[in-house]
């Protein structure tokens, strides 16, 4: 009986938080519209910030002179930032994670292939978000020179009847088998909204939580929170009600981004169970952070002004706006010192690779740890803030 | 009949500051008890401990025979708490606010609707119940704030300076409705730094200053402590400090305090002292522009006990 009373009190508090949200136009705009505006604006992917050089990972080629020439041409090419890779798996992973914008897989025996007159096929790997604008042109240009010489050598070999390799070496003008570049996407290609939607999912769950936390500061400031404690209930029930309100808000924001991105931009979120686990645990992290936020600030205007930028800053650190693979290792560590880095790893794995629950178990465990720690500290701090 | 509220030895320290220091009193059913003291005296802190909002350093609170110690939150159902600041959600309507607080006290369904309607009526807001609270005037908010503490029909109503910042009309309405509740058998704990309100409303008064209860009793009992002293108000265009000093040197003046535009003092047989006061003022170079002698009241009791004015 007493327990059902406490639950009724907690639910009344949760209900009133959500009702207040319904009256807050600016808050509603933040929650309902802004995530989609951002996906729309940055729809090309999470990478829109790196307009400078296109990062290309290169694998294979062997140690013949033509391979070396090709490597030199790529190195010298305008707008390309070339990194050598030793293993295909490593290159694929890098491209998928966005560390490289594209990958070039050159056949290991490039020189022999060309010399034998076989067509040498170079594979171009692209991330699910697709190739960055202009990258295909820059890569193609690097091949053009070699391609032209191969054509000429081929013509010479056939008309004059000399050895192809000799022709290539002596005339330095050639072709026919040529070098063709074929684009292959690593992972599933989609509209490009996927990475952006994943980042926004994590970003907005947290921003919304913090905004919810700033309303808590207002409740405290108004004295409504203390008034709640005057009611025949426990501080625990009051805290649970406030927490449940923030959790509902976070989950609601998550569902909105998930379904909204699926309907509006055709994002395929893949494994729903794994996604639900990540969103649920990350929302709990958001709830804990919101309660801590609500206990820390004393002025609602201040809290309200700090919440969105703080949420965005944490999102940046955690890889919501660009992948952590492109930041220095130290910043990658920082990104994983907050829940965002782990949530991003997990959501990206689910969306880009179709990872299931078991594949993201580590990330889920870390998120659960963050959630437990944040909620415990927050409950303690908030109780203190209310009854001190 | 046993007391609705008994508290003893309440204490609370904020850092270096002993905000409440050994406060204790009792309130009987249907009794209105006034806690009178200047700003910062410790009234809100005392009330917060009584209502279980604030962890107390020491002391006991017994409400309707049951100890308030955190083990049984149900004890708090006997108390209706009206905080000093308006504790309502501005973006919700009057009705929604009342319904929320009603739910916190376990009301639901038809009973909740009935009590919310009664609350709106008591606040004089029946036709504004569907409007958002942030559109209300200060007085309307104050009245709704009180109604929110009354939804569950508590045996003890605790009001913390409920008339701060309201127009005289709302103030009268508030005082009248509290008086009506008391007539109906509800015990009332009323804090204020307005002597007139406490005099008008309360059966017994506790005077609190610097965290201590320095006197307690009915108005009559308290005033008798001052003896035959009268309260005298002098106004002057001259040097009020010099006037106060001159007054203090007169025999029979127990205290003289500078207030805006003059001096307030307590004097034995104040009327017979008037000629001496006038000449003292002239000597001090602060000729009097008016003299007002009043029967002793709680204000003079406070002045007598603490040497300070309740306000100013
Ligand atoms: N939360 C707090 N932290 C520190 N000091 C406080 C706090 N609340 C009240 N005080 C101090 O305690 C004293 C009593 O305050 P309060 O009970 O609010 O007085 P009153 O209600 O009579 O005006 C004051 O000196 C006040 O400054
Ligand atoms: Mg106060």
């Amino acid at each position: 009986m007493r327990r059902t009373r406490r639950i009724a009190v907690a639910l009344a508090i949760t209900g009133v938080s959500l009702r207040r949200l319904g009256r807050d136009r600016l808050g509603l705009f933040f929650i309902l519209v802004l995530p989609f505006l951002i996906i729309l604006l940055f729809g090309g992917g999470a990478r829109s910030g790196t307009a400078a050089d296109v990062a290309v990972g290169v694998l294979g080629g062997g140690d013949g002179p033509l391979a070396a020439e090709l490597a030199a041409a790529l190195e010298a090419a305008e707008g390309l930032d070339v990194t050598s890779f030793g293993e295909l798996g490593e290159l694929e992973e890098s491209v998928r994670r966005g560390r490289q914008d594209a990958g070039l897989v050159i056949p290991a025996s490039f020189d022999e292939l060309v010399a034998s007159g076989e067509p040498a096929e170079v594979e171009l790997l692209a991330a699910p978000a697709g190739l960055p604008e202009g990258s295909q042109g820059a890569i193609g240009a690097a091949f053009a020179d070699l391609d032209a010489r191969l054509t000429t050598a081929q013509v010479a070999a056939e008309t004059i009847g000399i050895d192809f390799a000799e022709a290539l070496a002596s005339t330095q003008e050639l072709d026919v088998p040529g070098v063709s570049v074929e684009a292959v996407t690593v992972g599933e290609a989609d509209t490009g909204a996927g990475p952006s939607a994943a980042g926004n999912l994590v970003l907005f769950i947290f921003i919304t939580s913090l905004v919810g936390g700033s309303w808590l500061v207002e409740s405290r400031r108004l004295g409504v929170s203390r008034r709640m404690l005057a009611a025949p209930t426990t501080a625990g029930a009051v805290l649970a009600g406030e927490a449940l309100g923030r959790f509902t808000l976070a989950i609601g924001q998550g569902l909105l981004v998930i379904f909204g991105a699926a309907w509006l931009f055709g994002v395929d979120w893949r494994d729903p169970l794994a996604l639900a686990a990540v969103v649920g645990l990350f929302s709990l992290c958001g709830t804990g952070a919101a309660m801590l936020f609500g206990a820390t600030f004393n002025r609602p205007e201040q809290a309200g002004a700090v919440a969105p930028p703080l949420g965005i800053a944490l999102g940046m650190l955690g890889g919501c706006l660009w992948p952590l693979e492109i930041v220095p290792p130290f910043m990658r560590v920082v990104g994983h010192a907050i829940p965002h880095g782990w949530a991003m790893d997990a959501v990206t794995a689910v969306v880009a690779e179709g990872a299931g629950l078991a594949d993201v178990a580590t990330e889920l465990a870390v998120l659960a740890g963050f959630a437990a720690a944040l909620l415990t500290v927050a409950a303690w701090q908030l109780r203190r803030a209310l009854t001190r | 009949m046993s007391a609705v509220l008994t508290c003893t030895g309440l204490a609370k320290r904020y850092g270096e500051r002993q905000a409440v220091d050994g406060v204790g009193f009792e309130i009987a059913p249907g009794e209105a008890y006034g806690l009178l003291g200047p700003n910062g005296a410790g009234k809100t802190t005392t009330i917060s401990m009584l209502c279980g909002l604030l962890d107390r350093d020491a002391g006991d609170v017994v409400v309707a025979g049951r100890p308030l110690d955190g083990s049984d939150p149900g004890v708090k159902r006997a108390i209706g708490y009206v905080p000093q600041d308006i504790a309502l959600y501005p973006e919700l309507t009057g009705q929604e606010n009342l319904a929320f607080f009603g739910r916190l006290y376990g009301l639901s369904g038809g009973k909740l609707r009935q009590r919310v309607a009664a609350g709106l009526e008591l606040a004089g807001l029946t036709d504004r119940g569907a409007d958002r609270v942030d559109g209300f005037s200060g007085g309307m908010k104050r009245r709704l704030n009180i109604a929110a503490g009354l939804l569950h029909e508590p045996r003890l109503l605790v009001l913390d300076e409920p008339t701060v910042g309201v127009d005289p009309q709302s103030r009268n309405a508030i005082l009248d409705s509290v008086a009506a509740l008391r007539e109906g058998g509800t015990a009332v704990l009323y804090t204020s730094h307005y002597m007139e309100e406490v005099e008008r409303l309360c059966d017994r008064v506790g005077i609190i200053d610097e965290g201590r209860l320095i006197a307690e009793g009915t108005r009559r009992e308290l005033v008798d402590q001052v003896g035959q002293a009268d309260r005298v108000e002098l106004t002057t265009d001259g040097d009020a400090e010099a006037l106060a000093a001159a007054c203090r040197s007169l025999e029979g003046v127990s205290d003289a305090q500078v207030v805006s535009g003059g001096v307030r003092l307590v004097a034995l047989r104040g009327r017979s002292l008037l000629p001496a006061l006038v000449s003292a003022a002239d000597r001090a170079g602060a000729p009097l522009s008016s003299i007002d002698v009043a029967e002793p009241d709680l204000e003079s009791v406070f002045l007598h006990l603490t040497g300070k004015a309740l306000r100013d």
Side-chain angles (χ1 to χ4, degrees):
Chain A
M1 185 60 207
R2 196 169 285 169
R3 167 163 305 166
T4 55
R5 278 265 317 118
R6 280 180 208 168
I7 293 172
V9 165
L11 289 178
I13 295 171
T14 303
V16 93
S17 308
L18 299 178
R19 201 182 277 258
R20 291 181 70 203
L21 164 66
R23 303 282 155 83
D24 180 352
R25 292 232 174 90
L26 190 65
L28 282 176
F29 170 79
F30 257 97
I31 289 168
L32 296 176
V33 183
L34 198 59
F36 299 107
L37 272 184
I38 289 186
I39 297 178
L40 204 62
L41 286 175
F42 300 99
R47 206 176 291 104
S48 45
T50 62
D53 279 6
V54 178
V56 184
V58 178
L59 171 79
D63 39 34
L66 288 178
E69 198 178 314
L70 180 58
L74 284 167
E75 198 73 58
E78 196 91 357
L80 291 187
D81 177 11
V82 178
T83 313
S84 294
F85 280 77
E87 270 178 44
L88 180 60
E90 217 177 293
L91 177 61
E92 280 180 343
E93 169 84 8
S94 262
V95 172
R96 192 171 51 225
R97 292 283 169 129
R99 220 173 296 166
Q100 300 294 331
D101 295 308
L104 279 176
V105 184
I106 305 169
S109 47
F110 184 70
D111 280 62
E112 284 145 56
L113 258 167
V114 173
S116 71
E118 292 288 314
E121 201 162 87
V122 175
E123 247 185 341
L124 176 62
L125 307 179
L131 285 169
E133 225 171 294
S135 62
Q136 214 152 353
I139 295 167
F143 280 92
D145 188 43
L146 183 60
D147 194 34
R149 288 180 44 213
L150 287 172
T151 309
T152 317
Q154 183 69 20
V155 172
E158 278 184 11
T159 48
I160 313 168
I162 58 164
D163 182 58
F164 173 74
E166 234 174 82
L168 181 61
S170 59
T171 66
Q172 298 223 334
E173 283 141 42
L174 19 142
D175 176 28
V176 155
V179 181
S180 63
V181 178
E182 187 202 352
V184 175
T185 302
V186 186
E188 241 169 65
D190 55 31
T191 60
S196 177
N200 274 285
L201 177 64
V202 172
L203 178 70
F204 275 94
I205 284 179
F206 216 80
I207 294 181
T208 299
S209 296
L210 290 184
V211 171
S214 69
W215 296 336
L216 197 54
V217 181
E218 204 198 352
S219 295
R220 274 179 52 217
R221 178 54 178 261
L222 287 168
V224 184
S225 299
R226 297 189 75 212
R227 192 170 202 164
M228 291 178 196
L229 293 177
T233 190
T234 58
V238 171
L239 293 182
E242 297 285 15
L244 189 60
R246 270 81 213 162
F247 182 68
T248 311
L249 200 61
I251 286 281
Q253 177 72 85
L255 290 177
L256 191 76
V257 172
I258 289 171
F259 285 106
W263 282 326
L264 296 176
F265 308 109
V267 172
D268 178 6
W269 293 94
R270 320 285 280 272
D271 190 332
L273 212 59
L275 188 69
V278 181
V279 168
L281 286 172
F282 188 66
S283 294
L284 281 178
C285 294
T287 304
M291 305 277 283
L292 196 56
F293 191 79
T296 307
F297 283 86
N298 287 319
R299 291 179 35 220
E301 325 79 59
Q302 199 181 32
V306 167
L310 178 63
I312 292 168
L314 289 172
M316 287 176 174
L317 288 178
C320 298
L321 299 181
W322 47 77
L324 285 185
E325 281 73 14
I326 67 167
V327 302
F330 171 71
M331 292 309 289
R332 219 168 294 153
V333 173
V334 171
H336 287 90
I338 56 176
H340 294 64
W342 300 91
M344 276 312 291
D345 285 350
V347 176
T348 309
V350 171
V351 177
E353 299 161 36
L357 265 183
D359 304 312
V360 290
T362 311
E363 285 83 356
L364 293 179
V366 175
L367 286 175
F370 268 117
L374 279 167
L375 285 168
T376 308
V377 175
W380 180 63
Q381 283 291 324
L382 195 54
R383 194 189 181 286
R384 241 172 64 101
L386 291 178
T387 60
R388 209 170 24 184
Chain B
M1 222 167 160
S2 67
V4 176
L5 174 80
T6 309
C7 58
T8 46
L10 291 177
K12 180 73 186 181
R13 171 183 285 277
Y14 291 115
E16 287 294 288
R17 179 166 216 106
Q18 190 69 44
V20 172
D21 187 6
V23 167
F25 52 87
E26 258 188 35
I27 303 179
E31 183 183 34
Y33 186 93
L35 204 52
L36 179 68
N39 278 326
K43 304 181 295 294
T44 299
T45 307
T46 300
I47 279 188
S48 300
M49 289 189 281
L50 294 177
C51 295
L53 309 175
L54 189 64
D55 295 332
R56 49 186 186 267
D57 296 344
D60 291 307
V61 178
V62 178
V63 181
R66 292 151 80 190
L68 180 83
D69 55 11
S71 62
D72 179 10
V75 175
K76 293 189 276 187
R77 187 158 310 144
I79 305 177
Y81 166 63
V82 178
Q84 176 171 356
D85 300 314
I86 291 163
L88 300 166
Y89 286 120
E91 57 282 87
L92 299 189
T93 68
Q95 222 153 19
E96 287 167 337
N97 269 290
L98 292 186
F100 171 63
F101 290 110
R103 281 193 195 96
L104 292 187
Y105 283 84
L107 299 175
S108 62
K111 177 76 180 164
L112 177 65
R113 274 195 297 280
Q114 179 212 323
R115 292 301 304 158
V116 167
L120 286 172
E121 183 166 353
L122 178 115
L125 292 169
T126 301
D127 49 352
R128 298 293 303 271
D131 295 347
R132 280 168 60 136
V133 167
D134 49 12
F136 285 6
S137 71
M140 291 160 79
K141 287 181 194 165
R142 277 275 161 209
R143 295 186 325 250
L144 192 66
N145 197 40
I146 294 173
L150 281 166
L151 291 163
H152 62 293
E153 300 171 279
R155 294 182 58 187
L156 171 67
L157 178 63
V158 177
L159 299 135
D160 195 359
E161 311 221 22
T163 59
V164 167
V166 305
D167 55 286
Q169 206 179 333
S170 278
R171 173 194 283 228
N172 271 324
I174 288 169
L175 290 171
D176 285 346
S177 53
V178 174
L181 283 163
R182 196 201 58 171
E183 293 306 315
T186 305
V188 175
L189 171 56
Y190 191 100
T191 86
S192 182
H193 64 275
Y194 294 118
M195 176 221 39
E196 311 82 30
E197 292 183 1
V198 171
E199 286 204 325
R200 172 170 158 188
L201 198 66
C202 298
D203 305 303
R204 279 195 310 136
V205 179
I207 295 181
I208 185 170
D209 185 45
E210 293 179 358
R212 292 212 182 86
L213 207 58
I214 52 174
E216 189 188 56
T218 61
R219 182 188 179 281
R220 188 70 258 155
E221 286 164 355
L222 288 170
V223 167
D224 282 350
Q225 287 192 9
V226 190
Q228 295 302 304
D230 292 318
R231 187 165 59 102
V232 182
E233 305 252 9
L234 308 173
T235 57
T236 178
D237 297 326
D239 183 354
E241 288 290 348
L243 177 59
C247 292
R248 275 185 212 113
S249 67
L250 292 174
E251 196 169 339
V253 173
S254 60
D255 197 80
Q257 194 69 31
V258 175
V259 296
S260 60
V263 170
R264 179 179 299 166
L265 57 86
V266 175
L268 276 173
R269 287 176 297 278
R271 277 166 224 281
S272 58
L273 206 63
L274 289 181
L277 281 172
V278 173
S279 50
D282 283 337
R283 280 198 306 277
L288 300 178
S289 44
S290 79
I291 304 178
D292 183 27
V293 183
E295 291 287 302
D297 57 13
L298 292 178
E299 185 91 41
S300 28
V301 175
F302 190 80
L303 192 62
H304 174 72
L305 290 173
T306 67
K308 295 186 297 192
L310 209 44
R311 276 176 287 150
D312 294 329

